[in-house]
């Protein structure tokens, strides 16, 4: 029924067993170590495939925490209208690119893998009489293949030991099924107590690891999220119910499944620190980049603000017009004192420079300033009066001499 899950799981496990079987061929207990490592690296392979969905899950969770106050406001506003509440919440989630399914995707994908691994491990020993079991004899079990594993590999798995017990054995397993783990006619080399001695510490370690991972995840949640009743309920489940569930169900699971839980928690613990550290670094870089951008756009100390940007071109056009009006008079400069200076030079007088006052056409006099034309005309009249007085004095002298004569 679920062969599309069982076959891929068995093939991944087969590949890793082939690798480690060639690494540890003649070491004591090498078969058990190779099979245990194949289970562990099956978990690592799965988690590596789910790395990107896990990162998206973390980002989705952070985005959910950001929009949580708005969601609470919508719930409060439309408390009596469930349809409108759902529409507004979906609209808000769509605006922020939030997809609730991404938050559950890694967990949902691990469920079929767990089911597949559990089924493949149980299928190494098919003497069980429960629902869906084949109820084979020990000889039939040891001579029947298991998905990607041949009959020879099945026997190798059943004969392997990890800390003195088979990998597919469990505490509550019936003693009649122990016969599948040894060759026909050989005595069973382990007891239920041996299984318990190995399984119970693994159960405790897996439970504590689950609790610590949940604790680390809860510690990263903001206070606003912790006030949400649904979040508090999920945190309680992750912190206490799930770890307790491992202790309760542990006696019913094979040793290899407990290895799966332990290695899965180890990977999760390391991956959380790496991913959260990377996201925190990205957020810090974004914050610094924003500060640098604001600093670059800020005016320098002592510099005047650029009004042209504020006026959006209006002030610039006005200043250009003024500049054009002020540039035109340069071509229309007249010298009102040219004639007077020439006459002064002809009469032997010096030009004091007052006669060279320039008139700028189109320029406006400042408030309280005297017109420049008056000064020019006055200077011209003063410069021309000198020769006239000298001529009259000479005539008077001549007239006086004639009178004496």
């Amino acid at each position: 029924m679920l062969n599309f899950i069982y076959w891929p799981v068995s093939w991944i496990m087969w590949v890793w067993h082939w690798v480690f079987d060639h690494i540890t061929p003649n070491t004591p207990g090498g078969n058990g170590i190779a099979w245990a490592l194949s289970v562990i690296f099956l978990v690592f392979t799965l988690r590596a495939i789910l790395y990107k969905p896990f990162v998206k899950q973390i980002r989705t969770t952070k985005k959910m925490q950001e929009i949580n106050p708005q969601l609470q406001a919508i719930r409060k506003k439309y408390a009596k209208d469930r349809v409108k509440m759902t529409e507004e919440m979906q609209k808000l989630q769509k605006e922020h690119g939030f997809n609730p399914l991404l938050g559950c995707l890694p967990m949902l994908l691990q469920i079929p893998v767990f089911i597949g691994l559990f089924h493949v491990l149980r299928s190494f020993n098919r003497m069980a009489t429960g629902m869906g079991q084949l109820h084979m004899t020990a000889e039939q079990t040891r001579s029947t293949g298991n998905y990607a594993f041949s009959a020879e590999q099945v026997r190798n798995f059943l004969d392997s030991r990890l800390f003195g017990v088979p990998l597919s054995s469990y505490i509550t397993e019936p003693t009649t099924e122990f016969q599948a783990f040894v060759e026909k006619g050989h005595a069973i080399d382990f007891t239920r107590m041996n299984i318990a001695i190995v399984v119970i510490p693994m159960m405790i370690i897996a439970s504590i690891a689950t609790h610590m991972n949940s604790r680390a995840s809860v510690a990263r949640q903001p206070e606003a999220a912790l006030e949400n009743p649904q979040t508090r309920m999920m945190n309680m489940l992750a912190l206490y119910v799930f770890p307790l569930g491992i202790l309760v169900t542990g006696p019913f699971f094979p040793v290899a499944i407990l290895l799966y839980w332990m290695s899965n928690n180890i990977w999760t613990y390391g991956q959380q620190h790496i991913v959260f550290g990377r996201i925190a670094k990205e957020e810090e870089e974004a914050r610094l980049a924003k500060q640098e951008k604001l600093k670059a756009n800020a005016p320098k100390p002592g510099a005047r603000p650029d009004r042209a940007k504020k006026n959006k071109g209006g002030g610039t056009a006005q200043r250009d017009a003024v500049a054009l009006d002020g540039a035109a008079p340069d071509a229309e400069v007249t010298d009102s004192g040219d004639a007077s200076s020439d006459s002064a030079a002809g009469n032997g007088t010096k030009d004091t420079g007052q006669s060279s006052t320039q008139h700028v056409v189109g320029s406006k006099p400042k408030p309280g300033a005297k017109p420049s034309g008056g000064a020019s005309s006055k200077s011209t009249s003063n410069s021309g009066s000198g020769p006239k007085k000298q001529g009259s004095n000479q005539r008077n002298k001549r007239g006086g001499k004639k009178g004496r004569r």
Side-chain angles (χ1 to χ4, degrees):
M1 181 179 178
L2 297 176
N3 287 337
F4 68 95
I5 296 175
Y6 303 149
W7 278 98
V9 170
S10 63
W11 272 114
I12 295 173
M13 189 175 171
W14 183 93
V15 170
W16 284 116
H17 174 261
W18 181 87
V19 171
F20 291 112
D21 187 50
H22 284 75
I23 294 174
T24 60
N26 299 319
T27 57
N31 288 337
I33 295 173
W35 284 107
L37 289 174
S38 67
V39 173
I40 293 172
F41 276 81
L42 168 66
V43 177
F44 291 169
T45 303
L46 169 67
R47 296 305 301 271
I49 294 172
L50 296 178
Y51 176 77
K52 287 188 176 180
F54 177 79
V55 175
K56 289 183 179 180
Q57 177 193 12
I58 299 300
R59 296 187 186 278
T60 300
T61 303
K62 292 181 72 66
K63 191 170 292 185
M64 177 65 180
Q65 294 170 359
E66 293 174 0
I67 67 174
N68 187 59
Q70 301 178 48
L71 292 174
Q72 294 297 331
I74 292 174
R75 291 191 185 99
K76 185 177 180 180
K77 183 177 180 180
Y78 301 102
K80 297 181 180 180
D81 190 350
R82 293 286 180 180
V83 177
K84 185 65 175 177
M85 180 193 299
T86 304
E87 291 177 356
E88 292 296 325
M89 291 176 67
Q90 290 177 351
K91 182 180 178 181
L92 179 64
Q93 292 172 356
K94 186 176 181 180
E95 290 176 355
H96 290 80
F98 174 75
N99 188 354
L101 183 61
L102 291 177
C104 305
L105 184 61
M107 184 180 296
L108 293 175
L109 291 177
Q110 289 184 62
I111 292 174
V113 175
F114 176 81
I115 295 173
L117 179 61
F118 180 72
H119 178 77
V120 170
L121 291 174
R122 290 190 65 184
S123 297
F124 279 106
N125 186 351
R126 302 188 180 188
M127 294 182 65
T129 58
M131 183 178 63
Q133 300 299 318
L134 299 178
H135 190 42
M136 291 183 177
T137 63
E139 292 78 8
Q140 290 174 333
T141 294
R142 295 178 66 87
S143 60
T144 304
N146 182 21
Y147 295 100
F149 299 101
S150 63
E152 182 181 357
Q153 289 173 321
V154 169
R155 288 192 295 271
N156 185 279
F157 179 85
L158 293 172
D159 294 338
S160 300
R161 300 290 184 267
L162 182 67
F163 304 116
V165 298
L167 284 167
S168 61
S169 61
Y170 52 98
I171 294 177
T172 58
E173 186 175 16
T175 54
T176 55
E177 298 180 13
F178 289 179
Q179 191 62 44
F181 297 111
V182 294
E183 292 284 352
K184 185 178 180 180
H186 288 69
I188 299 173
D189 57 349
F190 62 93
T191 63
R192 194 180 304 278
M193 182 59 66
N194 297 132
I195 299 174
I197 291 172
V198 174
V199 168
I200 290 175
M202 295 176 69
M203 290 165 46
I204 295 173
I205 293 172
S207 179
I208 293 174
T210 302
H211 174 78
M212 295 304 296
N213 282 331
S214 301
R215 194 179 187 88
S217 179
V218 171
R220 294 185 177 95
Q221 295 178 1
E223 295 182 0
L226 296 175
E227 295 176 358
N228 187 354
Q230 295 180 353
T231 303
R232 288 201 302 267
M233 182 180 296
M234 290 301 299
N235 290 340
M236 290 292 293
L237 291 174
L239 286 171
Y240 303 107
V241 177
F242 293 161
L244 184 62
I246 295 175
L247 295 176
V248 173
T249 60
F252 300 93
F253 289 112
V255 174
I257 289 293
L258 294 172
L259 277 176
Y260 170 88
W261 272 338
M262 290 175 58
S263 55
N264 188 52
N265 280 290
I266 292 171
W267 179 280
T268 301
Y269 187 80
Q271 184 173 259
Q272 277 186 349
H273 283 273
I274 293 173
V275 172
F276 278 107
R278 186 171 297 175
I279 292 176
K281 185 178 179 180
E282 291 176 359
E283 292 177 349
E284 181 66 16
E285 290 177 353
R287 186 183 66 83
L288 293 176
K290 187 176 180 180
Q291 289 181 352
E292 290 294 332
K293 186 176 180 180
L294 292 174
K295 189 183 295 184
N297 294 333
K300 296 181 179 180
R304 294 182 179 180
D306 191 356
R307 296 179 180 176
K309 294 182 179 179
K310 295 182 179 180
N311 295 334
K312 295 183 179 179
T316 306
Q318 186 177 2
R319 286 196 301 274
D320 292 342
V322 173
L324 290 173
D325 292 341
D330 293 340
E332 299 179 11
V333 176
T334 60
D335 192 352
S336 61
D338 289 344
S340 59
S341 60
D342 292 341
S343 61
N347 293 326
T349 60
K350 293 183 179 180
D351 189 3
T352 60
Q354 294 178 353
S355 61
S356 62
T357 304
Q358 295 179 350
H359 297 277
V360 180
V361 179
S363 62
K364 295 181 180 180
K366 296 181 180 180
K370 294 181 179 181
S372 59
S376 176
S377 60
K378 185 177 180 180
S379 62
T380 306
S381 61
N382 291 336
S383 62
S385 62
K388 291 180 180 180
K389 289 181 179 180
Q390 291 178 358
S392 61
N393 291 334
Q394 290 177 358
R395 285 193 296 271
N396 291 332
K397 288 180 180 180
R398 291 175 183 176
K401 289 180 179 181
K402 290 180 179 181
R404 291 175 184 177
R405 290 177 183 178

